[in-house]
Amino acid sequence: MSQQIYIQKQKEEIPVYKKEENSNVEGKLFLARYKRDDVSHLVIKDNETCIKCNHKPCIIVCPADVYKWEENRLIISYDNCVECGSCRIVCPYSNIQFRYPLHGKGIGYRYG
Amino acid sequence: MVEKFDVVVVGAGPAGVSAAIVTARAGLNTVIIERGNIPGEKNLFGGVLFKHPFEKLIPDFVKTAPLERKVVEYQYWILLDDSFIKLVYRDDAFENNPSGYTALRAKFDAWYAKKAQEAGAMLITRTQALEPIIKDGKVIGVNTDRGELFGNIVIAADGANSLLAQKAGLHDEWKPHQLALGVKEVIEVQRTKIDEMFQVKTEEGVAATIIGGPLKGMTGGGFLYTDREALSVGIGVLLSDLVSNNIRPNKLYEKFKRHPAIYPYIKDGILKEYSAHLIPEGGYNAIPKLYTNGMMVVGDAALLVNVVGWEGTNLAAESGILAGETAIYAHKVKDFSANVLKIYETKLRNSFVLRDLRKFRRIPPFLYKNKHFFSSYPEMLRDILRLWHTVDGEPKEIKIKRIRDVIISKVGPIKLIKDISDLIRGILF
């Protein structure tokens, strides 16, 4: 019985196309294996530069919705990051300090 | 951790592992460092791998490698908002002698890295190369998050971001129009259902290359590949186009996935993984300097991707093999300077890798400049086919005239001739 409930719960957690939430990045990222790093591997060098930046292309190109603009600063959900590097390349001011998470942390694809 | 090796390979993808297999088999003390827990878990590609360079190193490659399906059918799809055009090429010749196989990198790369270990290479995982150690103008090792590693030669196989080569001064930061962002989903579909939908045997598969539709007006394309028990569906669009169109990659992918040409295949499937990775698409003219004193750059890190043939892993493996051979020679003559390592570039130039990229060097800039290729041509084709197949008593003489008008209004006769001649020049000559 308890096992059945477990299976049912697990099934619910798997986003299936018929469901609404499955088009969200957030929901999709739940499927990935992930080891959280204690510190962010993405660092904004100078927030003033971001305030001056009109387009904020980092927010646009990120496939994992890592960046959000709130109260005059970038909120970085680095534990969503899939480590592609797009944000660093599109930043017109080279204002994003990018490295990969250390010691094998971060995302791990099961399929790839 | 302070160690001295003959060869330090950074990155356990197809390029790095191929290099390590070659050097380890020649008896060179070889180490591969990999930032993932297992090789492959950070790696991603669309899904078709061409066997030819791998077979050179592993004769029973096809029998032993964890491949998904051999590709016996290539499809080309042109999407419009409300319609689609498909070209299907099935050939029995590929049943016995296929070139391409669908694969999943987490499985494949882990297996391939084992082959390097079997050859005698040491594999250190969970370790990230932070920067090259440079002394007297020579790369003599890499600084990692677990200490320094020294080697006579460093082979940078660290993928599309190519941070190591950048820090060694071989190239500047990439530009947003030189790389595409690939977004992909692996969607579980029953094996028998895939066989049925695509009319293939279980070990056989289909590779569909897709343009237009939600991707119209952007330099990019999509794909649908059959894995054994899943479909790999994805898109790749230039970073610069995502920015200028102000489109979020996941939103774009969702639109793509829900297009009537694609959705029926996946609508009952279960999403198993959402992933994203950069694809170097700058082509020949964007290739960085490939070597310096004590270092060679291979695979994606060297932008070795053929955007015309949609090939990458085979170029990576071949470049790894050639860098490995160069490393062996350098150890023979005990000279690890650029003077000797330039042989790597010569070898690449003589191989299909740089010959192909040079051959198609005009294509990436052409596609970058001519975005109408991905919008007005699909629309033109659709309009022509729609006119022709609307049988309503209108005399064909008038239909033909209207088709002519479509060509003139969508592209224009001069532009059409110019595009065709540019493409022919870019590909055939």
Side-chain angles (χ1 to χ4, degrees), chain A residues 17 19-20 22-23, chain B residues 253-264 266:
Chain A
Y17 281 121
K19 286 194 185 170
E20 275 289 307
N22 59 46
S23 58
Chain B
Y253 172 76
E254 282 292 323
K255 265 200 207 163
F256 175 78
K257 190 176 81 180
R258 282 162 207 283
H259 189 277
I262 297 162
Y263 196 59
I266 55 166

Side-chain angles (χ1 to χ4, degrees), chain B residues 182-198:
Chain B
V183 174
K184 166 180 160 175
E185 282 182 357
V186 175
I187 299 158
E188 188 182 82
V189 177
Q190 258 184 359
R191 198 161 64 185
T192 48
K193 208 172 161 194
I194 292 177
D195 300 350
E196 209 177 286
M197 283 192 298
F198 292 93

Side-chain angles (χ1 to χ4, degrees), chain B residues 45-158:
Chain B
F45 80 151
V48 178
L49 179 145
F50 297 95
K51 69 181 178 186
H52 63 99
F54 299 97
E55 268 188 333
K56 282 197 276 188
L57 297 180
I58 302 162
D60 60 351
F61 175 78
V62 169
K63 275 195 192 129
T64 53
L67 303 166
E68 296 291 312
R69 289 170 186 254
K70 65 179 168 197
V71 181
V72 296
E73 183 173 304
Y74 291 87
Q75 301 191 357
Y76 298 89
W77 302 5
I78 299 167
L79 308 185
L80 289 309
D81 292 341
D82 49 359
S83 51
F84 53 87
I85 303 159
K86 287 185 185 181
L87 177 73
V88 177
Y89 165 57
R90 166 81 65 106
D91 197 331
D92 287 348
F94 293 127
E95 268 189 45
N96 298 320
N97 190 21
S99 298
Y101 289 79
T102 55
L104 294 164
R105 291 287 294 281
K107 269 191 260 177
F108 179 83
D109 289 11
W111 171 85
Y112 196 42
K114 279 209 186 87
K115 295 288 144 188
Q117 286 178 290
E118 283 166 20
M122 185 197 265
L123 172 69
I124 305 179
T125 54
R126 294 189 191 98
T127 304
Q128 184 184 157
L130 300 171
E131 70 231 333
I133 302 170
I134 300 169
K135 200 181 155 193
D136 304 331
K138 275 182 278 187
V139 176
I140 55 160
V142 287
N143 196 7
T144 79
D145 51 354
R146 294 212 283 168
E148 293 175 319
L149 272 175
F150 294 95
N152 295 327
I153 290 175
V154 171
I155 296 179
D158 55 340

Side-chain angles (χ1 to χ4, degrees), chain A residues 32-76:
Chain A
R33 193 164 56 200
Y34 197 88
K35 272 207 254 171
R36 194 176 187 278
D37 204 347
D38 301 327
V39 289
S40 175
H41 60 284
L42 305 165
V43 178
I44 299 300
K45 293 177 192 166
D46 170 35
N47 190 55
E48 291 303 307
T49 307
C50 292
I51 292 173
K52 274 182 264 168
C53 175
N54 288 327
H55 305 299
K56 299 190 176 47
C58 56
I59 300 179
I60 300 168
V61 299
C62 177
D65 288 1
V66 166
Y67 297 94
K68 280 186 188 72
W69 186 251
E70 272 172 29
E71 290 166 17
N72 277 326
R73 57 188 274 262
L74 274 177
I75 308 289
I76 305 175

Side-chain angles (χ1 to χ4, degrees), chain B residues 355-422:
Chain B
R355 285 176 73 173
D356 286 2
L357 289 175
R358 197 180 127 72
K359 176 91 210 141
F360 298 139
R361 68 190 179 280
R362 295 191 190 98
I363 299 297
F366 175 79
L367 294 179
Y368 175 61
K369 276 185 219 135
N370 292 280
K371 301 200 192 300
H372 68 281
F373 236 83
F374 300 94
S375 53
S376 45
Y377 278 103
E379 281 164 19
M380 184 182 86
L381 270 178
R382 188 246 348 248
D383 291 353
I384 291 170
L385 288 166
R386 188 177 276 170
L387 277 168
W388 186 252
H389 289 282
T390 305
V391 180
D392 52 4
E394 186 179 49
K396 291 291 182 276
E397 193 189 330
I398 296 170
K399 285 243 189 277
I400 299 280
K401 191 183 166 297
R402 286 172 61 183
I403 286 173
R404 215 165 54 209
D405 290 346
V406 163
I407 295 171
I408 288 166
S409 70
K410 285 288 179 199
V411 184
I414 295 162
K415 185 80 182 135
L416 181 71
I417 290 163
K418 191 184 177 306
D419 284 344
I420 291 170
S421 80
D422 280 356

Side-chain angles (χ1 to χ4, degrees), chain A residues 96-111:
Chain A
I96 299 174
Q97 193 181 306
F98 176 94
R99 62 161 171 77
Y100 299 111
L102 300 176
H103 311 298
K105 294 198 175 103
I107 191 148
Y109 291 133
R110 275 180 262 250
Y111 298 87

